[in-house]
Amino acid sequence: AQTVTQSQPEMSVQEAETVTLSCTYDTSESDYYLFWYKQPPSRQMILVIRQEAYKQQNATENRFSVNFQKAAKSFSLKISDSQLGDAAMYFCAYRVLNEKLTFGTGTRLTIIP
Amino acid sequence: EPEVTQTPSHQVTQMGQEVILRCVPISNHLYFYWYRQILGQKVEFLVSFYNNEISEKSEIFDDQFSVERPDGSNFTLKIRSTKLEDSAMYFCASRDLGRDNEQFFGPGTRLTVL
């Protein structure tokens, strides 16, 4: 069974600084997708960034980027120039082709003004 | 921009009562999902639905749960006899055909069972 592990239940970062959230996963598949979702206090699930396993290049979306290490089964999220609006729960998730999303337990990110 | 909608936003019910949670997926999407999140915990998969039938379900999705797409636009989750432990946020998601397409989540329905 696929599992997703987020070992940092909580992280904090000074505003304007950079923070990295960790995620590892376990799978026997070679073709899959990885995602980071943001969940603010409203509890809406907002897609931050996605990575296709068949792509070697790390995905970037403005201030958000990932470090995808396929052999190590690692998928970390880097947030640059942290802003107060980045404060939220962040969930790492995994999906094989047309199947369900499997989520990690989340990391609560606090931004210190 | 098209979005997934869910109603109601908050449902309060008594233990043992039936509830129906409603979702309107994005109109051209073909895969539909229900997830739940107990407060303070991770998001868990309940069921996926494609081509008018369940394609996968988790061990959480027991005989008390059912899903339906009654009219080609709505996608519903019914809990037949609610328990206290069913209190959670329930998210609907939908996805178009195509392996690269992502799931779009609705805003969720908060279910409180008293």
Side-chain angles (χ1 to χ4, degrees), chain A residues 31 33 35 37 39 42-45 47 50 52 54 91 95 97-101 103-105, chain B residues 31 33 35 37-39 41-43 45 56 89 91 95 98-103 105-107:
Chain A
D31 195 6
Y33 301 83
F35 305 86
Y37 282 88
Q39 188 179 46
S42 67
R43 299 187 74 182
Q44 171 87 43
M45 296 295 287
L47 179 65
R50 57 178 282 161
E52 293 86 351
Y54 61 82
F91 291 97
R95 173 171 71 82
L97 297 182
N98 296 328
E99 295 182 8
K100 64 184 183 287
L101 284 165
F103 288 88
T105 50
Chain B
Y31 292 90
Y33 307 84
Y35 295 85
Q37 184 185 31
I38 295 171
L39 186 63
Q41 298 186 23
K42 68 177 178 180
V43 179
F45 167 75
E56 186 179 359
M89 196 78 165
F91 292 102
R95 190 171 76 82
R99 50 172 282 156
D100 280 357
N101 290 323
E102 67 191 70
Q103 293 180 25
F105 280 79

Side-chain angles (χ1 to χ4, degrees), chain A residues 1 14 24-25 30-31 35 38 43 53 58 62 67 73 75-76 86 109:
Chain A
Q14 208 80 32
T24 59
Y25 57 94
S30 60
D31 195 6
F35 305 86
K38 173 185 177 182
R43 299 187 74 182
N58 288 325
N62 302 313
N67 184 3
K73 295 180 184 172
F75 182 60
S76 60
D86 295 333
L109 179 64

Side-chain angles (χ1 to χ4, degrees), chain A residues 6-10 89-92 103-108, chain B residues 42:
Chain A
Q6 294 179 251
S7 58
Q8 306 154 317
E10 295 185 1
M89 281 291 284
Y90 285 82
F91 291 97
C92 179
F103 288 88
T105 50
T107 296
R108 181 175 302 282
Chain B
K42 68 177 178 180

Side-chain angles (χ1 to χ4, degrees), chain A residues 27-84:
Chain A
T27 184
S28 57
E29 303 286 342
S30 60
D31 195 6
Y32 50 87
Y33 301 83
L34 295 162
F35 305 86
W36 279 97
Y37 282 88
K38 173 185 177 182
Q39 188 179 46
S42 67
R43 299 187 74 182
Q44 171 87 43
M45 296 295 287
I46 301 165
L47 179 65
V48 174
I49 199 165
R50 57 178 282 161
Q51 175 79 44
E52 293 86 351
Y54 61 82
K55 290 186 179 176
Q56 297 204 351
Q57 190 171 6
N58 288 325
T60 62
E61 286 287 341
N62 302 313
R63 297 182 295 108
F64 298 87
S65 61
V66 299
N67 184 3
F68 172 48
Q69 302 286 329
K70 191 171 184 179
K73 295 180 184 172
S74 168
F75 182 60
S76 60
L77 174 70
K78 185 170 86 171
I79 307 174
S80 304
D81 185 25
S82 298
Q83 300 174 1
L84 294 177

Side-chain angles (χ1 to χ4, degrees), chain B residues 39-53:
Chain B
L39 186 63
Q41 298 186 23
K42 68 177 178 180
V43 179
E44 299 173 290
F45 167 75
L46 290 177
V47 66
S48 58
F49 193 86
Y50 171 70
N51 200 24
N52 282 319
E53 60 183 25

Side-chain angles (χ1 to χ4, degrees), chain B residues 34-38 41-47 57-66 77 79 83 85-86 90:
Chain B
W34 283 102
Y35 295 85
R36 95 171 173 191
Q37 184 185 31
I38 295 171
Q41 298 186 23
K42 68 177 178 180
V43 179
E44 299 173 290
F45 167 75
L46 290 177
V47 66
K57 60 183 180 179
S58 71
E59 61 273 11
I60 303 168
F61 194 88
D62 61 22
D63 292 344
Q64 293 298 315
F65 291 88
S66 62
L77 174 70
I79 310 175
K83 307 182 186 73
E85 54 265 35
D86 293 327
Y90 289 80

